Amino acid sequence: MFKISLRGRCALALAAASVWLAGCAPMQPDLVRVGRADLQLPPGNWERLDQGDSMLFNVLPDDVSHDLPMRTQAVGLRGPQNEMLAVIVVQTNATNDPRDTTLWTYTCPEQKGVQVTDFAKGSPVRIDCLRYKPRADSEEFLMKNRPVLAKWVKHQDAEPLAPYSHVSYRYATAEGGYMLVEALVDQRLLRPKTVGTDQFLAAGKPAQEWLIKFVDAAKNSVAMLDGRFVVPPFPIPLPH
């Protein structure tokens, strides 16, 4: 089997690119394929998680699910005692096939106890919505808000140790590009141990910085020819 150089690979991809895609990331082995995207994970003991015959999540809005086929993949990060530290689910377009202008109707409403950022600023035709719940393990938050995900992680024995956070980011383009990424993350990976009031008040900053990188990585994935989604390393080192 012959190998194509990076330059040749990008040139071939550019020739076949869809109207909304641009760019080509360097090749790297052992990437997790999700539809049109390549999932590049930070260092750690990651594993693919079985999803059975059905997808974890419905495409929103529902009227595009038939003519915009999606693919979904979940991965889990194991700790030193084989405990689950994080679960990341990626859903995106099955192919790079070009498409006519797509109008999206998903909204990004405010919610008590949830940090909600609508980067689309209420646009009725596109999606750019980040939601972050620092304590998703409390008050049955996950079951009430993401029941399919809540049941699935329990069935897979993949629920992270409490306390854990929930991150959801949806992004779509007028050209039909779509990505949903969700993460359940052990808070030890997002929030440092604190001593004293000053450290406690600043403890949320690493998570906020990580969220920005997470959002940027998802947007870049939709823009890349190979859909490379480079998941940023968690801000706090893995527990030993």
Side-chain angles (χ1 to χ4, degrees):
M1 181 181 293
F2 64 88
K3 295 183 179 179
I4 302 176
S5 68
L6 174 59
R7 180 176 298 177
R9 181 173 179 267
C10 285
L12 291 173
L14 283 168
S18 67
V19 294
W20 85 77
L21 300 171
C24 187
M27 289 190 296
Q28 176 176 326
D30 302 325
L31 299 179
V32 178
R33 192 69 184 174
V34 188
R36 62 164 296 276
D38 281 327
L39 179 58
Q40 181 177 324
L41 299 165
N45 183 21
W46 291 91
E47 62 183 59
R48 296 172 188 250
L49 298 177
D50 182 24
Q51 298 179 73
D53 297 326
S54 61
M55 296 170 61
L56 284 175
F57 307 110
N58 294 325
V59 178
L60 297 175
D62 290 334
D63 60 356
V64 304
S65 60
H66 298 293
D67 56 359
L68 262 180
M70 301 289 164
R71 295 291 182 269
T72 307
Q73 178 63 55
V75 293
L77 175 63
R78 294 285 183 182
Q81 304 300 321
N82 204 41
E83 76 276 26
M84 189 64 72
L85 295 175
V87 172
I88 296 178
V89 184
V90 179
Q91 182 182 73
T92 191
N93 303 75
T95 70
N96 280 335
D97 294 342
R99 174 181 164 84
D100 295 334
T101 300
T102 304
L103 303 181
W104 303 88
T105 59
Y106 177 80
T107 59
C108 186
E110 296 290 333
Q111 184 177 359
K112 184 178 179 181
V114 179
Q115 175 185 325
V116 180
T117 307
D118 183 5
F119 299 102
K121 301 185 183 303
S123 170
V125 296
R126 72 185 188 94
I127 307 172
D128 198 345
C129 180
L130 171 67
R131 312 182 73 86
Y132 171 56
K133 176 66 173 179
R135 284 295 305 270
D137 57 286
S138 63
E139 300 176 345
E140 297 186 338
F141 171 83
L142 206 61
M143 183 60 70
K144 293 177 181 178
N145 292 272
R146 302 296 291 161
V148 175
L149 175 60
K151 294 176 182 178
W152 179 83
V153 292
K154 288 186 178 297
H155 177 72
Q156 294 289 325
D157 193 25
E159 187 174 18
L161 295 177
Y164 62 81
S165 302
H166 174 248
V167 180
S168 172
Y169 178 63
R170 293 181 191 267
Y171 179 68
T173 70
E175 295 80 16
Y178 177 88
M179 175 167 275
L180 164 64
V181 288
E182 300 213 51
L184 298 176
V185 185
D186 187 319
Q187 278 200 342
R188 291 178 296 171
L189 302 180
L190 297 176
R191 188 179 180 90
K193 294 182 178 180
T194 60
V195 178
T197 302
D198 291 343
Q199 289 187 10
F200 177 80
L201 293 176
K205 184 178 179 181
Q208 295 300 317
E209 294 175 344
W210 183 82
L211 288 173
I212 294 173
K213 295 177 182 177
F214 193 71
V215 166
D216 288 344
K219 289 182 178 179
N220 289 338
S221 173
V222 178
M224 298 299 288
L225 287 170
D226 59 3
R228 181 71 59 86
F229 177 36
V230 184
V231 179
F234 297 110
I236 311 302
L238 297 177
H240 296 289

